[in-house]
């Protein structure tokens, strides 16, 4: 099925929002790393090419996490070697540690992201570290990357709730995030890894940071809150938003339930709010419809389903 | 499958919201009238009974639209006769015209809703009337219902966009809505029938009404905007929200795409915002899981999918 001619919402600009939002597209990394099947590298390359063609300018391309943990992205070197880089598009990659940084440098990457935890339990389970020790692990990675001229983003996961600990302390999140920025991260992405956050929580955390210029948000739609949370973040001063084309990033509970906020649903909102986003929604929907065909299951994005004829 | 033990979001009350929201549950009417199959009356009765058991206090039960147009609700009389009414629960029914009102009065209904259009084209297509003539049709229906002691809600559809006309004029919506209130409707539900609205549009329309005390909102999630739009309405002063358990009310484009805002996703937000809602989320999720089993397809609600183990 192809995309139908695309409708767009009525544009109703008003105050209180950034004039432009940078969409940090994570579909090729955060989306595909959760797929049960391994997607061929040629498909990934076409996916990235189409995303750039749809106007997205930040495409998180892959990850140098050990293939034992994320076999779906074991082809990182091959993918980067085959990448048809579009002008004006950044292709950051996820780097978990010093060995990952070595691989990234060898592959000629100029923009990386590290992945830290806002909670003790998730640090132990996901990073095999304590909460405190993770900073000792990341500091030299960031320092070396910066010395090599790379830009570094910091992801901070479990900022709004933790499946083992429940409520997460706001001050702990702020402390952890500021350490990553102090190390030399130029951006900090606040992640609601399990999708439990609601809007007042988002506003509270962003206000606790004070300076919003280096902040991004990363919401999962597990409880249907991702778009509302994103808008709360925009109104609190954030202007970089993570999302995944078609809502890629499956949830284990239901075949079509989403992981990440769908880029198309975000674009619909931004267009309606009169916030500049640079995306051709028709091309993006076509891309997600094509990718859904490659994966053999429907996109969980509402906009994709509404516009795919 | 049963519902897992239910988690709830962190409660983060803050200003700018109503202390309590009345959820107008439309699953049994707006949800089921869009089902391709006809649900047996016994299943509908159990559904309504479970919804009341989960704490919902306004259950739109059925419709007296002619069975030729909505065969799914042709059992309206039978349903109302079999209803096990819970204390403190209202069971309004949809009434399209004078004949529908006759049926409602015969069935002993004490609360009805009429269904008007904010646009010319939808008035012609859905009501077989012009935009102007619809008021002449509704005025005597509302007057007679009020004289008989019934409470009357007015639905106004296509308030934020129309599939034939595109943009809908705000002043026209306000004029139409105020006429319904002037006739004697005690509540006016502003409907985004095709789900295209974004948040600034919602704020703009509600502000154009001025007095929000009689307003309700009715969002469809076709483009993933329903929850964000609902929050915008709450922040603009609205405190009655229409939603459907499990997100019932299928969209023709995709098997699992939603029609109405899912009540569970709304409850998750309200709980997080510290807004009183009165719903036992675990019982509600159990109800939607059971109903999904009756319908033979998964619920499109994110919360239902996340919590149904």
């Amino acid at each position: 099925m192809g995309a139908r001619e695309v409708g767009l919402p009525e544009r109703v600009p008003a105050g209180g929002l950034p004039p432009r939002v940078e969409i940090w597209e994570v579909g090729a990394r955060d989306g595909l790393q959760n797929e049960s099947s391994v997607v061929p590298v040629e498909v990934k390359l076409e996916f990235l090419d189409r995303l750039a063609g749809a106007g997205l300018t930040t495409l998180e391309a892959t990850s140098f996490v050990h293939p034992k943990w994320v076999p779906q992205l074991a082809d990182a070197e091959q993918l980067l070697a085959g990448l048809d880089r579009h002008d004006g598009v950044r292709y950051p990659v996820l780097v978990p540690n010093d060995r990952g940084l070595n691989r990234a440098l060898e592959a000629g990457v100029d923009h990386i992201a590290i992945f830290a935890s806002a909670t003790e339990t998730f640090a132990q389970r996901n990073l095999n570290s304590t909460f405190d020790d993770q900073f000792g692990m990341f500091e030299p990675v960031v320092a070396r990357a910066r010395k090599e001229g790379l830009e570094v983003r910091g992801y901070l996961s479990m900022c709004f709730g933790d499946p083992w600990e429940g409520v997460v302390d706001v001050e702990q999140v702020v402390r952890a995030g500021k350490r990553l920025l102090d190390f030399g991260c130029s951006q900090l992405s606040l992640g609601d890894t399990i999708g439990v956050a609601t809007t007042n929580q988002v506003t509270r955390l962003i206000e606790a940071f004070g300076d919003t210029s280096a902040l991004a948000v990363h919401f999962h739609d597990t409880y249907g809150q991702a778009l509302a949370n994103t808008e709360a973040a925009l109104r609190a001063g954030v202007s970089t938003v993570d999302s995944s084309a078609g809502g890629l990033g499956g949830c284990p509970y239901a075949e079509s339930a989403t992981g990440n906020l769908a880029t198309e649903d975000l674009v619909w909102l931004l267009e309606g709010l009169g916030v500049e986003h640079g995306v051709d929604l028709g091309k993006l929907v076509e891309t997600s419809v094509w990718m859904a065909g490659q994966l053999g299951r429907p996109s969980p994005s509402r906009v994709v389903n509404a516009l795919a004829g």
Side-chain angles (χ1 to χ4, degrees), chain A:
Chain A
M1 55 181 179
R4 294 193 304 168
E5 198 173 341
V6 164
L8 287 169
E10 184 183 350
R11 292 183 85 240
V12 185
L17 289 163
R20 182 177 195 286
V21 159
E22 176 67 17
I23 298 174
W24 185 290
E25 168 61 46
V26 299
R29 198 276 303 168
D30 199 12
L32 296 184
Q33 80 174 21
N34 288 306
E35 281 301 313
S36 51
S37 59
V38 175
V39 175
V41 70
E42 297 76 22
V43 173
K44 292 175 181 173
L45 287 167
E46 182 170 349
F47 184 44
L48 287 162
D49 194 54
R50 283 171 172 251
L51 291 172
L56 290 156
T57 50
T58 305
L59 302 176
E60 195 165 297
T62 185
S63 162
F64 284 114
V65 171
H66 196 288
K68 189 169 120 189
W69 306 116
V70 185
Q72 294 90 338
L73 305 182
D75 57 7
E77 278 85 357
Q78 203 185 339
L79 180 128
L80 289 166
L83 205 55
D84 181 14
R85 291 170 186 272
H86 290 234
D87 284 346
V89 176
R90 308 183 292 177
Y91 297 89
V93 299
L94 195 70
V95 159
N97 51 29
D98 219 47
R99 285 184 59 173
L101 179 57
N102 289 339
R103 292 173 65 196
L105 290 169
E106 278 163 35
V109 165
D110 59 8
H111 197 157
I112 64 165
I114 59 166
F115 196 87
S117 170
T119 69
E120 181 64 50
T121 316
F122 194 64
Q124 290 175 19
R125 296 198 172 227
N126 198 50
L127 305 171
N128 200 24
S129 165
T130 65
F131 175 77
D132 284 331
D133 287 350
Q134 67 177 331
F135 300 105
M137 185 171 83
F138 288 126
E139 186 165 19
V141 175
V142 177
R144 186 154 70 98
R146 292 296 307 275
K147 203 174 150 192
E148 298 281 353
L150 275 57
E151 197 168 344
V152 185
R153 161 186 254 213
Y155 277 107
L156 195 58
S157 54
M158 300 295 173
C159 291
F160 300 95
D162 177 289
W164 301 280
E165 300 179 19
V167 169
V168 176
D169 178 57
V170 171
E171 289 312 314
Q172 176 168 312
V173 178
V174 173
R175 272 201 313 276
K178 287 193 171 170
R179 286 194 73 172
L180 296 179
L181 292 170
D182 289 344
F183 291 166
C185 291
S186 59
Q187 191 169 71
L188 178 69
S189 175
L190 303 170
D192 182 17
T193 316
I194 56 172
V196 295
T198 55
T199 53
N200 281 353
Q201 230 185 329
V202 174
T203 308
R204 181 183 64 182
L205 179 60
I206 291 165
E207 285 177 353
F209 269 96
D211 180 4
T212 60
S213 59
L215 298 183
V217 287
H218 183 107
F219 291 112
H220 284 242
D221 204 31
T222 321
Y223 294 85
Q225 312 292 313
L227 192 70
N229 287 336
T230 297
E231 183 172 354
L234 298 180
R235 293 194 185 277
V238 170
S239 61
T240 301
V241 176
D242 301 4
S243 63
S244 99
L248 279 177
C251 158
Y253 302 114
E255 209 177 308
S256 229
T258 70
N260 292 284
L261 170 63
T263 307
E264 289 87 349
D265 299 11
L266 170 63
V267 167
W268 191 273
L269 175 66
L270 296 175
E271 180 70 21
L273 297 176
V275 173
E276 203 188 320
H277 52 75
V279 174
D280 180 324
L281 186 57
K283 283 188 181 173
L284 184 58
V285 168
E286 261 177 31
T287 299
S288 291
V289 167
W290 168 83
M291 196 66 199
Q294 296 293 326
L295 297 172
R297 60 184 184 79
S299 161
S301 159
R302 307 294 197 208
V303 169
V304 170
N305 284 301
L307 295 178

